């Protein structure tokens, strides 16, 4: 990178981070040249670059000003999926995505890994080493079937923040939220059963349904308020639906938090039609606002909400610790855990339990909430800057995912294949639909820090999308 | 314990360990008194105790001699289970057994925990600490779906010893053998399907079938040579059986190794009837003889044998590392792993991989083989000594389990309940049968070191059995 490019990026970053506000005057060419020890012409070139990128505007005889804020890209409209039960496909694409995890040279914008590089995680390593030294007998032996009691006690305490009043005896530890959801479905469903899902829905959940031989019916979902109660009711009238999977807090991929009134409405619908709610709260603790949003589980009075969550997003995926509050299905779930996944690793459970007990967890999550919020703002700026006009972007209230809707003619499945050759992995929207909808959408993992390398990827991504928008010449000339 | 009891136990132990042979003269009362610094009368009392226990016999004017060896208790006869598919019950009893794991005050003779107290395991702790320090990024992040490659490579090498030629690409890591078997069944079966099993069969496997909604058909099994090929063929003629679960090497609970000819016979039967063999090799590495026995998998040519195993018995349950060589079902299994159990903990996989690579595994397993063999000999002596005549005991060729058949009138389910109050946990035989047979049998975990405390438990167990043999007076007087 040349000097002027470096300077331009530095200034762009400051603008994105809000250090220079929209409409504010930027430092003079001379003062910048002194500050950074570069020539006048380098600063001029940097300013010209930023002008081309429409980040700043020159005012004759006054210098450069930060460009007025572009309108936020609009939020995508309510989804309109096919409303009948379908078999789920696309396992191969998901498998490719999973394979990419082990290839360090691939930039995983399509995955769901959190940022595990922050210093607030350091006490966790210490606890992991300490546990091996001090709890050797527990570390080597079988765990309790329900999981370590001390950990369940800590989790019960955390769950109070979401309004759920449970004790250690109501909880079962699983190896991640995915496994919790899987055991929940295995406890309630038979192959061929129909499960209602938000649309779009996280591809892991889709493939889970597929693996267990279940059918999905996709329900229209609003990117601000969540699943359409009306559409869900219609589907319940029409089909023998066993349950509904919801991510009501910091939804993946759309980032919304369902308003409390709608959470309660969906619960009373579940009661009326006697179905189960599988509530996935994996991102709930990463809500931007404090205190964190309530779970649907917190209003449940007859044990029909099975709350699933994990430390995968809040601490680290490598712990493989999730949990479930299975309500009235507790006995069945314990049996399914024994049958389908077995007991868990004691060492990581003990380490996590100590990490929470000593207050490190809250400190870490507080920090991560801020980091992810900031990251999502910067990525949104980049989307505005590098992507074509006419895109829609969600405005998440937590978590670290952005959901982008591109113009209709863009086929992200094709774009993803091209990017793959450049070692960039993205998640095309079609993975988030049982019926392969949302080919013009994509999900972006903003847990990847907004560093130069990732900014560059966003530039490449934007370019690829722009190319995909152009009419195909070979077709045009026919 | 008084002095003479202590001395008596010490001498009994030496006799059991073969330090004094059968028929050999024991030290004089005077010399023992000098050796142990106790009074003459203490030694005399100790010898009288041993005489009562029929371990020694006095010869007038010559002193005491080790009693001639009692005949080895006979091996139980071939089992004769109900030969039709049945639903499995007794989950509650198994759950109690699992619950006992977390109660340190209970002596777990019914469980399957190996001995994890040996010094040859020390390098494992070191590896566990080291991994957290040196592989932090891997420890915190998602694992590959198939499991760590370096570990799969080590396992592929180990599998050569059993005659199975596979590469890392043919293996999938699971969280234990139980989970491997579960995924195998999920990949092949639908609820309601029928699976053939040896009879008796490990209760964990039975409950796994139950959890997945499968039916078991128990096939007569010989305690020396394994499942009856003839009876299996008969069942295959009569019922639409999907597969057969076998533990052909160091069987749990009966300890046999199927002769190679019978392994091949069962494989050709599977080919003829086009069924799957689920081969559980979890104890295979603990065979007494070197080299270890071959797996059925080693003769498989069309990928119908799914070999399941783990380090639970050979290293430590707390690692939660198992694996499967799923043959032709590889793709389906990977998908089921994603759906039903998710990825595994990276830290324990890395530690285990290093432990094997550095040669610690082979050293440890060599030691454990000898220890378990010795333990089983001592427990067999104790059974002979403290239990009523007329019992049958298996003669395992590996592993660490003894299967005991008591006189017909003994109801081990009742005895187990009594013992439970004394904080002694045993596994009544009925847990090992889908139809609740073998109520007069029990399995003993000889991984518990043959120390005084456990000898005392065997005395109590023997007494409880003797009481259970007496005609019930309340009934007799009617």
């Amino acid at each position: 990178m040349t000097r002027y490019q470096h300077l331009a990026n530095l200034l762009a970053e400051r603008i994105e981070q809000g250090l220079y506000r929209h409409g504010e005057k930027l430092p003079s060419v001379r003062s910048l040249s002194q500050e950074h020890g570069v020539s006048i012409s380098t600063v001029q070139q940097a300013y010209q670059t930023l002008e081309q990128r429409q980040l700043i505007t020159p005012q004759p005889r006054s210098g450069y000003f930060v460009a007025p804020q572009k309108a936020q890209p609009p939020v995508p409209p309510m989804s309109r999926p096919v409303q009948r039960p379908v078999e789920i496909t696309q396992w191969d694409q998901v498998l490719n995505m999973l394979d990419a995890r082990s290839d360090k040279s691939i930039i995983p914008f399509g995955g769901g890994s959190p940022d595990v590089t922050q210093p607030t995680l350091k006490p966790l390593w210490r606890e992991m080493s300490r546990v091996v030294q001090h709890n050797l007998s527990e570390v080597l032996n079988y765990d309790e079937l329900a999981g370590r009691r001390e950990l369940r006690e800590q989790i019960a305490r955390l769950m109070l923040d979401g309004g759920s009043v449970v004790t250690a005896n109501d909880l079962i530890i699983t190896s991640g939220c995915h496994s919790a959801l899987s055991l929940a479905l295995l406890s309630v469903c038979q192959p061929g059963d129909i499960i209602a899902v938000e649309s779009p829905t996280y591809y892991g959940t889709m493939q889970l349904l597929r693996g267990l031989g279940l059918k999905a019916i996709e329900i229209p979902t609003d990117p601000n308020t969540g699943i359409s109660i009306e559409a869900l009711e219609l589907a319940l009238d029409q089909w023998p639906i066993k349950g509904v999977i919801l991510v009501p807090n910091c939804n993946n991929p759309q980032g919304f938090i369902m308003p409390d009134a709608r959470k309660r409405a969906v619960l009373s619908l579940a009661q009326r039609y006697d179905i189960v709610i599988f509530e996935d709260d994996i991102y709930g603790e990463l809500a931007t606002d404090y205190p964190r949003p309530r779970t649907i589980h917190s209003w449940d009075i007859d044990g029909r909400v099975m709350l699933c969550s994990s430390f995968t997003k809040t601490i680290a995926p490598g712990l493989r610790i999730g949990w479930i509050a299975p309500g009235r299905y507790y006995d069945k779930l314990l049996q399914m855990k024994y049958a389908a996944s077995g007991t868990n690793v004691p060492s990581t459970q003990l380490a996590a339990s100590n990490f929470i007990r000593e207050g490190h967890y809250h400190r870490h999550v507080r920090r991560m909430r801020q980091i992810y919020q900031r990251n999502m703002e910067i990525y949104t700026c980049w989307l505005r800057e590098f992507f074509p006009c006419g895109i829609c972007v969600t405005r998440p209230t937590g978590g670290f995912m952005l959901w982008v809707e591109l113009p209709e003619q863009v086929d992200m499945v094709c774009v993803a294949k091209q990017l793959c050759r450049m070692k960039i992995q993205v998640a095309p929207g079609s993975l988030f639909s049982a019926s392969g909808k949302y080919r013009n959408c994509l999900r972006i993992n903003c847990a990847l820090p907004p560093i130069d390398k990732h900014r560059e990827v966003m530039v490449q991504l934007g370019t690829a999308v722009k190319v995909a928008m152009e009419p195909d010449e070979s077709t045009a000339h026919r």
Side-chain angles (χ1 to χ4, degrees), chain A residues 198-210:
Chain A
E198 294 151 340
S199 184
T201 279
Y202 164 52
Y203 55 79
T205 303
M206 285 289 183
Q207 294 305 324
L208 203 161
L209 293 174
R210 179 196 156 98

Side-chain angles (χ1 to χ4, degrees), chain A residues 122-136 139 347-348 350-352 354:
Chain A
K122 264 190 193 159
L124 182 70
W125 325 338
R126 222 172 29 234
E127 291 301 344
M128 285 179 83
S129 300
R130 198 183 294 178
V131 152
V132 176
Q133 282 155 30
H134 295 290
N135 305 68
L136 194 67
V139 162
S347 56
T348 55
L350 285 163
N354 295 351

Side-chain angles (χ1 to χ4, degrees), chain A residues 362-377:
Chain A
H362 276 113
R363 205 168 306 133
H364 177 65
V365 169
R366 218 161 36 232
R367 181 189 180 93
M368 297 319 294
R369 267 191 221 118
Q370 288 167 358
I371 288 177
Y372 292 142
Q373 187 186 2
R374 192 82 207 103
N375 287 5
M376 286 193 290
E377 280 168 14

